[in-house]
Amino acid sequence: MQRAMEAHTPDWLVVMDDDGRPEPGGLAAFHAMGQSGALAHWDAVAAAVYFPSGEICEMNRPSRNPFWSLSHFLSTARKGRDGFHIPRRAYDGGLSAIDVTSFVGFFISAAAVRRVGYPDPKLFIYGDDALYTLGLSAAGGRICFAADVRFEHDFSTFSNGDSGQRFRPLWKVYYHHRNLLLLYRQAAGWLFWPVLLLILPKWILKVRHHPGVRRAYLRLTWLAVRDGLLRRLGRSHGEVLAEARE
């Protein structure tokens, strides 16, 4: 993003993972928003992201911050994840206001980049997109989900019937948990501490999905929680890889 801003004079940037790509017509749908004048109302646009199989990619489903709205908070208490993520019917068409999204098919205006700066490279992987877009929303930025702007994410961290529970490769455990703590802290404010008491047991129980590497899973989770609480982002990737060895 910084290279694009420094080397060119863009009106908008689009960000995607190396295993993400626009579906045919996806970029044309974004350009159509500009031609219709719809982009004038937004600082950023999130694409509708699907697996190659055509199913909605859950990890890229945008959300509202439940701690900024009583209705979203109560809905989250009742429904869990479905309470604060946009409903699946939003994928049928139209635009929806959101607070948080991923970097798979994320369009952001150059004006918004100049306002809030760049993602923190020390986060490396996981959560950098959510922290960045939540920060944009907190700064008054307007983000929408556009159902007609479709992207594909050939995502394979969780595979072979893992149901989103087993990390492959294992070292991703550290970044996932550490950065989620940073995100929860930014999103929840003073409610972060009771939230922490709810999520830590869930993370520890996921050790059952990692036979053969359970000690390494627990070790990485402990380091992630400690570094996340202390807001330490200086641990090298080499150290993380060493801790991931059983």
Side-chain angles (χ1 to χ4, degrees):
M1 291 171 67
Q2 186 172 356
R3 171 66 176 168
M5 291 289 289
E6 292 175 350
H8 307 282
T9 54
D11 297 314
W12 285 76
L13 307 178
V14 59
V15 184
M16 65 193 84
D17 284 12
D18 58 354
D19 54 3
R21 50 197 168 252
E23 288 192 0
L27 296 181
F30 173 79
H31 284 291
M33 291 180 65
Q35 292 166 357
S36 70
L39 290 181
H41 304 290
W42 304 100
D43 299 292
V45 175
V49 184
Y50 297 85
F51 285 115
S53 62
E55 300 170 69
I56 293 171
C57 189
E58 280 295 320
M59 74 167 294
N60 301 126
R61 185 154 57 116
S63 64
R64 304 301 300 265
N65 183 359
F67 300 99
W68 287 349
S69 163
L70 179 60
S71 63
H72 286 112
F73 183 84
L74 295 176
S75 179
T76 300
R78 294 195 310 271
K79 304 178 183 178
R81 178 183 175 85
D82 282 335
F84 63 95
H85 284 269
I86 61 170
R88 290 174 180 82
R89 64 178 180 273
Y91 286 74
D92 294 337
L95 306 178
S96 307
I98 58 172
D99 300 319
V100 183
T101 191
S102 76
F103 278 163
V104 179
F106 176 65
F107 298 79
I108 182 169
S109 70
V113 174
R114 286 190 288 268
R115 186 195 314 175
V116 299
Y118 300 101
D120 188 344
K122 293 191 294 293
L123 295 168
F124 177 55
I125 186 172
Y126 291 131
D128 54 339
D129 45 11
L131 284 162
Y132 185 76
T133 54
L134 183 62
L136 173 61
S137 297
R142 302 156 300 171
I143 311 176
C144 80
F145 167 77
D148 293 339
V149 181
R150 295 172 59 109
F151 269 63
E152 182 179 271
H153 193 186
D154 196 2
F155 174 66
S156 58
T157 290
F158 304 114
S159 59
N160 301 324
D162 296 328
S163 301
Q165 303 294 330
R166 183 181 175 92
F167 287 86
R168 300 176 186 272
L170 187 66
W171 56 261
K172 290 186 177 182
V173 169
Y174 172 79
Y175 297 102
H176 183 266
H177 291 158
R178 184 197 66 181
N179 295 356
L180 267 184
L181 279 186
L182 298 173
L183 176 62
Y184 290 149
R185 197 167 201 163
Q186 181 171 319
W190 66 271
L191 288 171
F192 167 72
W193 298 105
V195 169
L196 182 64
L197 295 177
L198 293 175
I199 61 175
L200 279 182
K202 294 181 180 180
W203 290 355
I204 293 170
L205 287 174
K206 283 187 178 182
V207 70
R208 68 187 186 276
H209 300 292
H210 295 78
V213 290
R214 286 172 175 162
R215 284 185 300 172
Y217 173 87
L218 291 173
R219 190 163 58 242
L220 287 166
T221 301
W222 159 246
L223 289 175
V225 171
R226 186 176 67 180
D227 288 352
L229 291 177
L230 295 175
R231 299 178 181 176
R232 288 179 177 169
L233 300 179
R235 189 177 299 277
S236 72
H237 187 53
E239 292 178 86
V240 175
L241 289 176
E243 296 292 349
R245 299 189 187 101
E246 185 67 9

